[in-house]
Amino acid sequence: MASLGQAKTLGGIGSILALLSGLLFWVPYSAGIGLLIVGLVLMLVAVKNIADTTGDQPIFNNMMYSVILAIIGPVIAAVVVFAAAASFLSTFRGFTPGTTTLPSGFLAVIGIIILAGVILWVCILISTIFLKKSYDAIATKLRVDIFRTTGLLFLIGAATLIVLVGVLILFIAAILQIVAFFSIPEQVSPQMPPQQVWGPPMPPAPLPPSMTPTQ
């Protein structure tokens, strides 16, 4: 049975694993990818619990699209880079050391590597767009505004990733994501009545006949 308590635990642990996958750069590459995938799956299950508890399934759908893109993007980029590396090695078979002429196809290999980076960046950017939609809805439903801030920072970090400053922003967002999941309440708070925040002031309520001033 879905509960916010399970979402809090699974989401918090998943967020920690996702952060560790980027910090533990000295471990084998496959281990880092494994931590990332496990963390993303745990967060996906946590958001599924939130969606079921609140009755808002788009919360889960947007998170699912985000996780899929976050996994597919690096896989596609890795395949493209592997193909470029194989092509790069083949260009040196007929290369004579000491010559100043670049090997045949060298520029094409560089272009393929750049293409892999662009594919990865686009997938990450679109992933964070879906993530922000999911986190904005969670912030509204559970009244945990740090989810809204986290989603915004992930989007800004992904957009500025090509100028490297996005790495720092994504790191801050990953930390806030841990705090956000562990800030989930055990129960959904009752909805507050809507309040007027714009437009002309509401007219005063009419006085009862006994209190109406007489001429």
Side-chain angles (χ1 to χ4, degrees), residues 159-196:
T160 58
L161 194 58
I162 55 177
V163 293
L164 299 182
V165 68
V167 175
L168 177 60
I169 299 176
L170 289 176
F171 175 71
I172 296 174
I175 295 177
L176 288 181
Q177 183 174 240
I178 298 173
V179 178
F181 273 107
F182 281 120
S183 300
I184 293 176
E186 295 295 330
Q187 294 181 350
V188 180
S189 302
Q191 295 293 327
M192 296 291 291
Q195 299 179 356
Q196 184 178 6

Side-chain angles (χ1 to χ4, degrees), residues 7 30 40 48 52 57 62 96 123 132 212:
S30 58
L40 291 176
K48 174 62 175 174
D52 291 342
Q57 288 305 313
N62 287 323
T96 302
C123 288
K132 185 178 184 302
T212 304

Side-chain angles (χ1 to χ4, degrees), residues 35-144:
L35 283 177
L36 177 61
I37 293 177
V38 172
L40 291 176
V41 171
L42 288 177
M43 285 189 289
L44 185 62
V45 175
V47 173
K48 174 62 175 174
N49 286 342
I50 296 174
D52 291 342
T53 303
T54 60
D56 191 348
Q57 288 305 313
I59 290 177
F60 171 72
N61 294 337
N62 287 323
M63 186 65 175
M64 180 178 62
Y65 300 148
S66 175
V67 170
I68 290 175
L69 286 169
I71 294 176
I72 289 180
V75 171
I76 295 176
V79 170
V80 173
V81 169
F82 179 80
S87 176
F88 182 76
L89 292 176
S90 65
T91 59
F92 279 87
R93 292 179 179 178
F95 178 67
T96 302
T99 61
T100 58
T101 304
L102 291 175
S104 175
F106 177 79
L107 294 180
V109 172
I110 298 300
I112 294 175
I113 295 177
I114 295 175
L115 176 62
V118 172
I119 292 174
L120 179 61
W121 177 68
V122 170
C123 288
I124 292 176
L125 181 60
I126 299 176
S127 173
T128 56
I129 292 175
F130 284 112
L131 180 69
K132 185 178 184 302
K133 290 181 179 180
S134 178
Y135 281 2
D136 283 349
I138 293 176
T140 301
K141 292 290 184 178
L142 302 184
R143 298 186 184 178
V144 181

Side-chain angles (χ1 to χ4, degrees), residues 11 20 25 32 55 59-60 77 92 103 128 145 148 151-152 155-156 194-195 200 209 212:
L20 288 178
F25 52 86
I59 290 177
F60 171 72
F92 279 87
T128 56
D145 289 337
R148 199 183 313 275
L152 179 60
L155 180 58
I156 295 175
Q195 299 179 356
T212 304

